[in-house]
Amino acid sequence: MGVDESSGADHRPTPPENATPRPLPETVHAGLYLVDENEKIIEVNRAAERLLGRSTADLFGEDAHELLHRGSVGQNLSRTQCSLTEAFFAGRTCRDEGWFQRGDGSLLPVSWIATPCAGPSGRSGALVLFYPSSPGESTEAGNGDEGALPLLERLALLAETTTLLTSTLDIDEALRGLIRLVVPRLVDWVIVDLITEGDEVYRRTVATHEDGDVVFRDDLRGPMPPIPQKSTMPLSRALRGAASTLTGPEAYHGPPDAGIAVAQRELFRATGMHSAGIAPIRGLREVLGALTFGCSDRPEPFSDLALLEDIARRAGLALDNARLYQRQRHVTETMQRHLLPQLSGAAGLEMYSRYVPAPQASQVGGDWYDAFPLPDGALAVVIGDVAGHDLEAAANMAQVRSMLRAYGWSYSEPPSAIVHRLDQALEHVTDVSLASLIFGRIENVLDDHQQLRWANAGHPPPLLVTHDGQTIFLEGGHGPLVGTGIPASRTDDLVHLPPQCTLLLYTDGLVESPSHSLEDGLDRLRRHAAALAHRPLQAFCDLLLSRVRPDDNEDDVVLLALRTSSRG
């Protein structure tokens, strides 16, 4: 990102296209403004308007550095001299003091905290919180009712929490990030109890710190007793959605009213917590669990129930979104698995297939394989990938697979002609945009030998592995993807399949990765396939996936492997 050293520009910046100002949440004492990736103001709260003596219209779309940031005597600062702008470009949370210029030209001494924050467009920006102060003096604006953290730090913590929880749909990743924000910064212990889809309670996370590092106590995790409906114990009430509670081990000294109270008594004993706050984690429609903050090492009791509730509320929205995503993903994955055929085998051939959905950060949908007998005794084999990674892609894949089956069965034509028919039909009778695929025929020839005749529509080449470990990528029969709408000439190629060889068809998720080239991925596949050539077919596929699939893979992977018999 380039830095303009000039200051005092006389032009007025243009607000972001199609953007409309909207107020940030109000606070008692602090002004807030949000800047986009160019440090232009895109959101403000009313306190910022009041403190700066400027309306939202005056602030919106302006370069925050040029409009506000000044030196101690009101002089313009270059961007490299401005600690707030340096923090913005560094992308880290920083706290300092300085001067902002108000609308009437006067200077406002402020203490500020700037923290990275995604804007409405999803691109990186920063949230700036500022409070009037005398530079050089303490800026602790909080009072006893607001808890141990100063006001600006509280607001910064909430901004960081929101950014973290909205940046992932992985529940465990979100919880780990949340814990690292508050331990040991705010408390000594964090416990997260979640209610599962089956209405059972599971202690998902127990974390503390040692020498400043977060430590996860897996020995304290696990299933919990059911939630009693009449229990007055703090955790039981929170899991039923009751108000947040400050508590301690003394609450569990008496006779337990349920099994979950026994578990809580053991938790206080094992952690040494002398005080804790417990808040319900609420989703949009139901209670999702409970969040516990506890103190053991620091002498003062935990008391900031308002901050705990704010964090629990943000955690609830994030968990709700993550669960909804997981349900949608499960529907898509289940649909795709049911659309993939069960392989029944063929004379003289052993077959094995694997489908591995994309990582949780991605979605599933478009990859498929197929194998089915043809009227003339040949075996049709297919591997393909429809563009997209969602439920629509899975539905489009089902259309393409069914059409290809119908054409393959109905027409005794070379593979290239079948692919050509499919290509013509996609444009007129489906909504499929693009797809890559290989359609092949495994044909029996004299002396019990077999041959593969195939056409390739923009798909990674099949790999042929002999029993003694020689490998060759079948580059022939290559043509453009189907669904482009552009007339294309398609050809076939033919290869004889030696005894005990392995023919591997796969989708690009096996070899493509953001961290290396396609050539590197193909070479990795070839080397590992050669080393595994003598393994049984199922072990061959399973080991190949574990060794070749990139760690940063963001796509589905489908494998279809066929092995010829030893006759010949």
Side-chain angles (χ1 to χ4, degrees), residues 179-251:
I179 288 164
R180 289 189 170 93
L181 280 180
V182 299
V183 173
R185 179 181 184 180
L186 179 64
V187 292
D188 300 316
W189 290 87
V190 173
I191 298 96
V192 181
D193 298 300
L194 295 183
I195 301 174
T196 69
E197 301 280 355
D199 208 29
E200 299 174 345
V201 181
Y202 192 89
R203 180 147 284 166
R204 189 71 170 258
T205 302
V206 179
T208 185
H209 61 95
E210 291 181 7
D211 300 323
D213 296 325
V214 174
V215 176
F216 292 91
R217 290 286 303 271
D218 290 341
D219 58 309
L220 299 178
R221 297 173 64 245
M224 296 279 286
I227 309 169
Q229 291 304 309
K230 295 183 179 180
S231 172
T232 59
M233 295 290 99
L235 179 61
S236 301
R237 297 179 70 248
L239 290 170
R240 296 199 306 266
S244 305
T245 308
L246 294 174
T247 187
E250 64 280 357

Side-chain angles (χ1 to χ4, degrees), residues 286-335:
E286 58 190 350
V287 178
L288 304 178
L291 177 64
T292 301
F293 284 178
C295 294
S296 58
D297 297 343
R298 59 195 79 202
E300 66 276 7
F302 178 80
S303 61
D304 203 340
L305 206 56
L307 182 59
L308 171 60
E309 289 173 341
D310 273 341
I311 293 175
R313 182 162 52 250
R314 287 161 171 79
L317 293 175
L319 291 175
D320 220 17
N321 288 336
R323 285 190 173 182
L324 177 60
Y325 168 80
Q326 291 293 344
R327 292 188 190 107
Q328 292 174 334
R329 174 184 166 85
H330 178 71
V331 168
T332 304
E333 183 180 332
T334 301
M335 176 180 175

Side-chain angles (χ1 to χ4, degrees), residues 354-373:
R354 283 292 307 273
Y355 164 61
V356 182
Q360 290 194 349
S362 304
Q363 295 176 312
V364 295
D367 294 19
W368 92 97
Y369 66 85
D370 204 355
F372 55 95

Side-chain angles (χ1 to χ4, degrees), residues 233-513:
M233 295 290 99
L235 179 61
S236 301
R237 297 179 70 248
L239 290 170
R240 296 199 306 266
S244 305
T245 308
L246 294 174
T247 187
E250 64 280 357
Y252 294 92
H253 283 169
D257 61 0
I260 199 168
V262 176
Q264 277 295 89
R265 184 169 60 191
E266 175 60 24
L267 175 72
F268 276 97
R269 187 200 63 77
T271 61
M273 291 189 297
H274 56 73
S275 62
I278 304 177
I281 301 174
R282 295 185 179 92
L284 294 176
R285 295 165 296 277
E286 58 190 350
V287 178
L288 304 178
L291 177 64
T292 301
F293 284 178
C295 294
S296 58
D297 297 343
R298 59 195 79 202
E300 66 276 7
F302 178 80
S303 61
D304 203 340
L305 206 56
L307 182 59
L308 171 60
E309 289 173 341
D310 273 341
I311 293 175
R313 182 162 52 250
R314 287 161 171 79
L317 293 175
L319 291 175
D320 220 17
N321 288 336
R323 285 190 173 182
L324 177 60
Y325 168 80
Q326 291 293 344
R327 292 188 190 107
Q328 292 174 334
R329 174 184 166 85
H330 178 71
V331 168
T332 304
E333 183 180 332
T334 301
M335 176 180 175
Q336 183 161 0
R337 287 190 182 279
H338 281 284
L339 289 171
L340 297 176
Q342 297 295 318
L343 300 178
S344 57
L349 279 176
E350 181 185 0
M351 290 189 287
Y352 185 73
S353 61
R354 283 292 307 273
Y355 164 61
V356 182
Q360 290 194 349
S362 304
Q363 295 176 312
V364 295
D367 294 19
W368 92 97
Y369 66 85
D370 204 355
F372 55 95
L374 297 172
D376 60 3
L379 178 73
V381 292
V382 182
I383 197 83
D385 185 359
V386 171
H389 299 286
D390 49 28
L391 191 59
E392 182 179 358
N396 287 340
M397 176 268 285
Q399 291 186 71
V400 176
R401 173 176 171 262
S402 298
M403 293 171 66
L404 193 57
R405 273 197 163 210
Y407 286 135
W409 175 265
S410 302
Y411 296 95
S412 298
E413 296 176 334
S416 59
I418 300 299
V419 174
H420 178 69
R421 288 183 182 276
L422 175 68
D423 193 12
Q424 288 184 311
L426 290 182
E427 182 180 0
H428 300 289
V429 298
T430 74
D431 294 325
V432 177
S433 54
L434 291 173
S436 69
L437 63 92
I438 293 172
F439 180 74
R441 290 169 47 94
I442 295 182
E443 303 164 340
N444 294 315
V445 293
L446 296 177
D447 301 324
D448 291 328
H449 279 81
Q450 292 162 317
Q451 62 185 20
L452 171 69
R453 191 186 308 273
W454 81 96
N456 187 330
H459 202 81
L463 178 64
L464 183 63
V465 187
T466 64
H467 186 64
D468 59 3
Q470 299 181 60
T471 60
I472 181 173
F473 282 108
L474 305 181
E475 303 279 2
H478 205 85
L481 283 74
V482 296
T484 63
I486 301 173
S489 174
R490 300 189 181 276
T491 60
D492 301 285
D493 207 346
L494 179 70
V495 66
H496 288 277
L497 303 177
Q500 293 184 281
C501 74
T502 303
L503 175 66
L504 181 68
L505 307 175
Y506 54 94
T507 54
D508 55 10
L510 183 64
V511 292
E512 287 190 350
S513 164

Side-chain angles (χ1 to χ4, degrees), residues 24-27 30-34 43-45 48 127-130 155:
L24 287 168
E26 294 307 316
T27 65
L32 296 89
Y33 67 82
L34 181 66
E43 297 183 24
V44 298
N45 72 347
L127 179 67
V128 179
L129 306 96
F130 62 95
L155 294 172

